[in-house]
Amino acid sequence: MAYLIHTSFTSGEISPRLDMRVQLQKYNNACSEAENVVLLPQGGAAKRPGLRFINEVKDSSKKVRLIPFQFSTETAYVLEFGDSYIRFYMDGGIIMDGDSPYEISSPYAEADLYDIQFTQSADVMYLVHPKYQPRKLSRTGHTSWTLETISFTSQPDEWGTDNWPGSVTFYKQRLCYGGVPSKPQKFWMSVINSFEDFTTGTADDDACEFQLVANEVNAIRWMVPGRSLYIGTSGSEWEVYGSAGQITPTDVTADRYTGEGSIGHIPIEISGVTLFLHRTGRKLLEFAYTFEEDTYKAPSLTILAEHLTRQHTIRQIVFQNLPHGIVWATRTDGTLLGFTYLRDQEVMGWHRHTTQGEIEWVTTIKGVMEDELWAVVKRTVSGATKRYVERLDPEFNGEDIKEAFFVDSGLSYDGEATTTLSGLDHLEGEEVQILADGSVHPPKVVKSGSIELDREASRVHAGLGYATRLKTTDFTGGAAGGTSQGRIHKISRVGIQLHDTVGGYIGPDDEQMEELLFRTSADEMGEPISPFTGMKYSDFWADYEISTQILYKHDSPLPATVLGFVAEVETYGMG
């Protein structure tokens, strides 16, 4: 008999192709399934918060995308770009103009929305797409926005109809453009501090234009500022710089470092490291300088979890710095991938997030206490296709179970005790999970936009349910001669260390699950169960197997955080 522990999940969900790599430290900190859990930097795995319903898009039959407009940490907007229009959100709601959403027209067609790139300076955002003349979006008030074409001084001769830049960024007080279809490897830099002036010359502050020279003609896909100007093409990654720290018309060097290639999506810059999507959409790469080798490299961050992109590729990535440092990636099948990324702490782990629908696009804006993740979710409601703007709720702090929000496309009621909850028209005909005054209420079907509760409640959350799954890698120790890999073994009893948790099941697989009990004789009947922190024990109805894992499931609208497992294991001979 041996007692084995699994104390961390910081390596995230890993590929089944690693099942024999038990010597890797990352294997012992990994899991074979991490669905609808957020991997915490401290090692645990927490059930993700729910998605709060904000608004239906203008036309649910058409795709939209979200773009962040960040003026400051106190003033931030989410922009809904749809077919020939833009709508605006802030403070968790859509901006209204009288009785209608505030809206301005735009030239961008539905088919082109995903390929728009942008950069921002204060109240002005510059937008590009190869089919459209560059534009700038200006804000003078919550309901005062202007989108206009840019009248450049000395516009480059190569630009014209269906031949406009596809990428844009700021770099050291210059506005930079690249990715023009007819000149795929050329980029342009404005006059310093005069972003719409491209008058060339030989003075240090004059506009510049340069051509990347390589064996292959690979189009510029993105440009991002860092210690230098970094450029990604469809076939390689470059560093562009000047000898005195500033690129000038007479002082520029372009060095090619890695040959991975990118799709046309804006990368993420995190503490001097650039994360970008491989040209196939199957890998997330880390373009970073290594002091030991005095060069840039671009290792894959998906190598341990290649199964996540084997059949469905990644469409886009965004970064939510607070509270846990997560890269969010939308997959083409509507699954949302999360990647907890704290490079300095060697915390890098993937997790999957599903909902009753498809998450088509996400964006983030900075908040005061937490960054906000916003999503476009395609759902089927009463047989009809709906597209909703929803926002991931803040992390549950464990203080008041009545505030636990763990439903999707959900809404909350806070007021006088009632048995009728209205305002759920967006979920008409759907069954919703309910948390009423901190206790789970039986599910109800939405009728005429309302649900009728079995008992009065004053604080209610209602929305679509979702399930959490956390499954360990194989327990490999406990044998007298070393590893238990390849040997028959059996787990007879387990302990699960929990934090601020109510509910859940544990077992070896979906058919043999044991419910964890939380209500005790000390709890008053009719009162909600307080979140539990500590160790829960359970019998484990596993057979004698060569591979033995622990599965934790949670499917109620309540919080759950798993910090680790302890297993009582018996090991025998080879199978």
Side-chain angles (χ1 to χ4, degrees), residues 185 211-218 236 238 256:
Q185 292 181 288
Q211 179 90 11
L212 298 177
V213 179
N215 293 333
E216 300 176 355
V217 179
N218 293 310
S236 55
W238 297 71
R256 176 187 179 276

Side-chain angles (χ1 to χ4, degrees), residues 57-299:
V57 304
K58 182 179 181 180
D59 183 349
S60 278
S61 69
K62 296 182 178 181
K63 292 182 179 180
V64 305
R65 73 169 287 183
L66 303 178
I67 289 179
F69 192 99
Q70 189 87 42
F71 178 75
S72 66
T73 54
E74 292 78 23
T75 305
Y77 303 84
V78 171
L79 280 49
E80 175 191 320
F81 273 65
D83 189 11
S84 302
Y85 76 90
I86 308 172
R87 287 182 170 181
F88 304 84
Y89 299 79
M90 71 175 300
D91 296 335
I94 190 166
I95 295 177
M96 302 295 289
D97 184 13
D99 295 329
S100 303
Y102 175 71
E103 178 183 310
I104 64 172
S105 61
S106 90
Y108 302 109
E110 175 192 7
D112 300 324
L113 295 174
Y114 286 0
D115 295 323
I116 297 171
Q117 292 198 22
F118 58 90
T119 191
Q120 184 180 346
S121 175
D123 270 327
V124 179
M125 174 178 284
Y126 293 86
L127 302 108
V128 295
H129 187 288
K131 294 181 181 179
Y132 300 84
Q133 186 172 347
R135 283 165 166 77
K136 62 179 179 180
L137 177 67
S138 305
R139 178 197 78 125
T140 54
H142 297 325
T143 57
S144 182
W145 298 74
T146 304
L147 182 65
E148 58 186 331
T149 56
I150 301 174
S151 297
F152 293 103
T153 301
S154 299
Q155 175 179 297
D157 295 334
E158 297 94 335
W159 300 4
T161 304
D162 290 334
N163 195 55
W164 301 102
S167 59
V168 62
T169 194
F170 283 103
Y171 178 69
K172 294 194 173 181
Q173 309 306 310
R174 297 182 188 268
L175 185 59
C176 310
Y177 289 98
V180 172
S182 67
K183 295 291 181 179
Q185 292 181 288
K186 193 170 186 178
F187 62 99
W188 295 261
M189 307 177 75
S190 74
V191 171
I192 289 179
N193 291 321
S194 186
F195 304 139
E196 297 166 22
D197 187 350
F198 283 81
T199 304
T200 57
T202 57
D204 286 354
D205 60 351
D206 282 340
C208 321
E209 54 183 54
F210 302 105
Q211 179 90 11
L212 298 177
V213 179
N215 293 333
E216 300 176 355
V217 179
N218 293 310
I220 292 174
R221 297 300 192 197
W222 51 261
M223 301 183 292
V224 296
R227 54 184 282 175
S228 303
L229 177 63
Y230 302 121
I231 297 179
T233 74
S234 56
S236 55
E237 293 72 49
W238 297 71
E239 180 193 26
V240 182
Y241 57 94
S243 61
Q246 176 68 271
I247 296 173
T248 73
T250 59
D251 183 6
V252 61
T253 300
D255 292 332
R256 176 187 179 276
Y257 281 98
T258 52
E260 296 290 346
S262 308
I263 66 172
H265 178 71
I266 303 172
I268 300 169
E269 196 281 326
I270 306 173
S271 301
V273 175
T274 301
L275 305 188
F276 68 96
L277 291 173
H278 188 262
R279 63 180 181 273
T280 62
R282 292 185 58 189
K283 295 192 291 184
L284 178 65
L285 301 170
E286 179 188 67
F287 187 66
Y289 179 78
T290 62
F291 288 95
E292 297 80 6
E293 301 178 51
D294 189 26
T295 190
Y296 287 88
K297 290 190 171 183

Side-chain angles (χ1 to χ4, degrees), residues 420-455:
T420 301
L421 185 66
S422 59
L424 294 169
D425 305 76
H426 67 290
L427 295 177
E428 182 68 28
E430 300 300 311
E431 182 179 87
V432 295
Q433 288 192 348
I434 304 162
L435 190 71
D437 288 339
S439 297
V440 176
H441 185 284
K444 294 291 182 178
V445 174
V446 179
K447 298 178 181 179
S448 300
S450 302
I451 54 174
E452 292 296 324
L453 304 179
D454 298 341
R455 60 181 186 272

Side-chain angles (χ1 to χ4, degrees), residues 363-564:
T363 195
T364 58
I365 55 175
K366 293 182 176 68
V368 177
M369 301 302 294
E370 290 188 18
D371 294 346
E372 300 177 7
L373 178 73
W374 290 62
V376 176
V377 189
K378 178 184 176 183
R379 302 191 183 277
T380 301
V381 179
S382 295
T385 296
K386 297 290 185 179
R387 283 185 167 90
Y388 296 148
V389 176
E390 303 183 14
R391 185 181 68 174
L392 190 71
D393 222 53
E395 181 181 41
F396 176 63
N397 60 20
E399 293 180 2
D400 186 355
I401 192 64
K402 294 180 181 181
E403 299 305 314
F405 188 90
F406 291 90
V407 290
D408 283 348
S409 203
L411 288 175
S412 299
Y413 170 80
D414 189 4
E416 295 294 325
T418 184
T419 57
T420 301
L421 185 66
S422 59
L424 294 169
D425 305 76
H426 67 290
L427 295 177
E428 182 68 28
E430 300 300 311
E431 182 179 87
V432 295
Q433 288 192 348
I434 304 162
L435 190 71
D437 288 339
S439 297
V440 176
H441 185 284
K444 294 291 182 178
V445 174
V446 179
K447 298 178 181 179
S448 300
S450 302
I451 54 174
E452 292 296 324
L453 304 179
D454 298 341
R455 60 181 186 272
E456 285 190 338
S458 59
R459 184 60 169 155
V460 183
H461 311 293
L464 301 174
Y466 60 95
T468 285
R469 294 174 62 88
L470 181 66
K471 193 172 188 179
T472 66
T473 49
D474 193 20
F475 280 77
T476 59
T483 183
S484 61
Q485 284 286 101
R487 302 188 185 192
I488 295 173
H489 48 285
K490 173 181 169 60
I491 297 177
S492 56
R493 190 165 174 78
V494 297
I496 178 171
Q497 185 71 28
L498 301 169
H499 180 78
D500 287 339
T501 297
V502 182
Y505 300 81
I506 195 167
D509 53 48
D510 290 288
E511 285 71 43
Q512 303 178 85
M513 302 298 289
E514 189 80 9
E515 183 176 5
L516 298 174
L517 302 178
F518 289 83
R519 187 173 290 279
T520 69
S521 57
D523 294 320
E524 294 184 26
M525 295 303 296
E527 292 297 316
I529 301 172
S530 297
F532 171 83
T533 295
M535 183 79 76
K536 288 283 184 181
Y537 298 93
S538 175
D539 292 329
F540 201 77
W541 307 109
D543 296 326
Y544 292 90
E545 302 282 357
I546 290 177
S547 175
T548 304
Q549 298 164 297
I550 298 175
L551 171 64
Y552 173 77
K553 292 174 59 176
H554 192 283
D555 58 7
S556 60
L558 288 165
T561 299
V562 178
L563 302 183

